[in-house]
Amino acid sequence: MVPSAEPESSARLDAARALKTSLEKTPFHLVEHREQFDAKQALSANDANTLYEGRTGLTDPALVAVEVAAQISFLRKLKFQYREQKAKDQYIKTIVSDDAQLITADDNEQLHAANEQKKQALKIAKSQLAEKYDDIRTLAPLVEQDYNKAKALTQEAASLADKILDARLTLTRLRQAHPPPRLTVASATAQLDGQVAEMQTLDEALQEVTARVEQVKERVKDGAREVERLRMQRAELEKQVKAGKDEVEDGRVAGLYDWFTASLALNRRLAALDSYHQASENELHLSYTVRRPAHSGRTIRRVLIKLLFVPNTRRLADAQIDGLEQDLGDLVGAHVQGNDVPGLITAVLMRARAEG
């Protein structure tokens, strides 16, 4: 498409250059005349007479009007004196001459008709001259506007010609910098579609990574809380060990106590037991931290199991489960009937891990 449009753009560029050349060669002289008028307009009334002393140019129209009115008045007086002298001369010649020329009424009528014709012609000439002056006053601003417009268009055409040359030079450089084969509209569209699909894929991957980061942050927070709890527990145990060392003389007691404490902590970790609390003589509260698969929304769930025993016996009377959405009445009833506390806890924890 670009090579087919080059001849047309070249023709337009040549036409613009020809128009610019013709406008520059045409002698309008509008600017020069305006400058001369401004220069002559600065003259005072006393300096107006200098225009007629061997000098030509423009001056204030008011002064010219006054001068013209004075000349017309002088010429009218001169014409009147001429006619008076001519009439006197003809009168004297008529009286003195032997062959006096007879002036009849027809002669006067002819002279009057000729005078009226001349007046009519003079009136028509004056009206035409006034129309010409009006046309000049009306058309002069329009001509100046057209001249300014043509000058602006010429400058714009020259600027556009320079821009066209710069664009052609840039296009030539781009063609040299990027040799064929170049991208077409179809290939560019296909590449854009591929990039959009890739960006969508990367966006989804970013969302997944962000979700994993949030999960890791939650795990880190839980781990920090667990570490703080273990630190406090360790400090308490160290106090108890120190007190036990002071009370017991046998050195093996400390080693056995450490082994028992480690075994108990390992058992609690394997069973996911978080904490336990004896609410009363026959009521025990067990709190478990259950970790579920990563694909679910919440990876950590806390399950509270309340065990109620028959007073003064080890028989399970009832159990309450908090932290699970499903109903475990049948499960609790079966294990209560069989007095199977470990089985109940194991079944509840399996249900908690399997729950989505």
Side-chain angles (χ1 to χ4, degrees):
M1 296 176 66
V2 176
S4 61
E6 288 183 355
E8 184 178 356
S9 61
S10 300
R12 291 181 180 178
L13 182 60
D14 296 337
R17 290 176 177 174
L19 177 61
K20 177 183 177 183
T21 304
S22 61
L23 288 175
E24 290 177 352
K25 291 183 178 180
T26 303
F28 291 106
H29 302 298
L30 293 177
V31 179
E32 292 81 357
H33 290 171
R34 185 177 63 183
E35 293 176 355
Q36 292 178 6
F37 179 79
D38 294 337
K40 299 300 181 183
Q41 195 175 12
L43 296 176
S44 61
N46 296 327
D47 297 332
N49 295 326
T50 58
L51 299 175
Y52 304 99
E53 297 177 357
R55 298 177 61 185
T56 59
L58 300 177
T59 183
D60 191 357
L63 299 178
V64 175
V66 172
E67 186 68 22
V68 170
Q71 292 181 1
I72 290 174
S73 177
F74 174 74
L75 292 175
R76 285 178 179 176
K77 291 180 181 179
L78 184 62
K79 180 180 179 181
F80 179 75
Q81 292 177 1
Y82 170 74
R83 287 183 176 180
E84 185 179 5
Q85 293 295 331
K86 184 178 180 182
K88 288 181 181 180
D89 184 57
Q90 289 180 355
Y91 179 73
I92 293 172
K93 287 182 179 179
T94 302
I95 294 174
V96 176
S97 177
D98 295 336
D99 298 330
Q101 184 179 2
L102 296 177
I103 299 175
T104 60
D106 295 334
D107 295 334
N108 291 331
E109 290 293 336
Q110 291 178 0
L111 291 174
H112 182 69
N115 192 15
E116 290 294 333
Q117 291 179 358
K118 291 179 180 179
K119 286 182 178 181
Q120 191 67 23
L122 180 61
K123 186 176 180 181
I124 293 172
K126 286 183 178 180
S127 63
Q128 292 178 354
L129 182 60
E131 290 178 358
K132 291 293 182 183
Y133 284 156
D134 293 336
D135 293 339
I136 290 173
R137 293 190 187 95
T138 304
L139 295 176
L142 299 178
V143 172
E144 186 176 3
Q145 292 179 1
D146 293 339
Y147 172 76
N148 293 331
K149 187 182 295 184
K151 186 176 180 181
L153 291 175
T154 303
Q155 294 177 356
E156 185 178 0
S159 177
L160 290 176
D162 295 337
K163 291 181 179 179
I164 289 172
L165 291 176
D166 294 338
R168 286 182 177 178
L169 181 60
T170 304
L171 183 59
T172 303
R173 290 176 179 174
L174 289 175
R175 287 178 178 176
Q176 292 178 357
H178 303 281
R182 302 183 183 90
L183 286 177
T184 61
V185 176
S187 59
T189 304
Q191 186 175 359
L192 178 62
D193 295 338
Q195 291 178 354
V196 170
E198 185 178 359
M199 289 177 64
Q200 292 178 354
T201 304
L202 293 176
D203 191 9
E204 294 176 357
L206 178 61
Q207 293 179 359
E208 293 179 358
V209 171
T210 304
R212 292 179 182 176
V213 169
E214 294 295 332
Q215 295 175 3
V216 171
K217 287 183 179 178
E218 291 293 333
R219 294 179 182 177
V220 169
K221 291 180 181 178
D222 295 338
R225 288 194 292 267
E226 183 68 18
V227 168
E228 185 65 24
R229 186 183 65 80
L230 293 175
R231 185 181 293 111
M232 295 175 62
Q233 184 178 1
R234 179 181 178 180
E236 186 67 22
L237 292 176
E238 286 179 353
K239 290 181 181 180
Q240 294 178 4
V241 169
K242 186 176 181 180
K245 285 183 178 180
D246 295 337
E247 294 177 359
V248 180
E249 298 179 356
D250 192 355
R252 294 178 298 173
V253 175
L256 292 174
Y257 179 78
D258 293 338
W259 172 81
F260 176 75
T261 304
S263 299
L264 183 61
L266 178 61
N267 187 21
R268 290 178 60 185
R269 181 171 293 275
L270 292 176
L273 179 62
D274 189 12
S275 64
Y276 61 92
H277 172 65
Q278 185 175 1
S280 62
E281 293 182 356
N282 63 333
E283 185 176 356
L284 181 63
H285 295 178
L286 302 177
S287 177
Y288 291 89
T289 301
V290 180
R291 297 185 180 274
R292 295 185 297 171
H295 59 80
S296 59
R298 296 172 56 190
T299 59
I300 298 176
R301 168 171 290 185
R302 299 190 182 278
V303 180
L304 178 61
I305 302 176
K306 298 179 181 179
L307 301 176
L308 299 176
F309 297 91
V310 178
N312 299 325
T313 64
R314 295 184 177 182
R315 183 168 183 81
L316 182 64
D318 193 7
Q320 296 179 2
I321 312 300
D322 295 333
L324 295 181
E325 298 177 358
Q326 55 183 335
D327 187 11
L328 302 178
D330 297 338
L331 180 66
V332 172
H335 287 83
V336 168
Q337 187 176 2
N339 195 22
D340 187 4
V341 176
L344 176 61
I345 295 174
T346 303
V348 171
L349 294 179
M350 290 180 63
R351 291 286 184 90
R353 293 188 181 95
E355 187 175 296

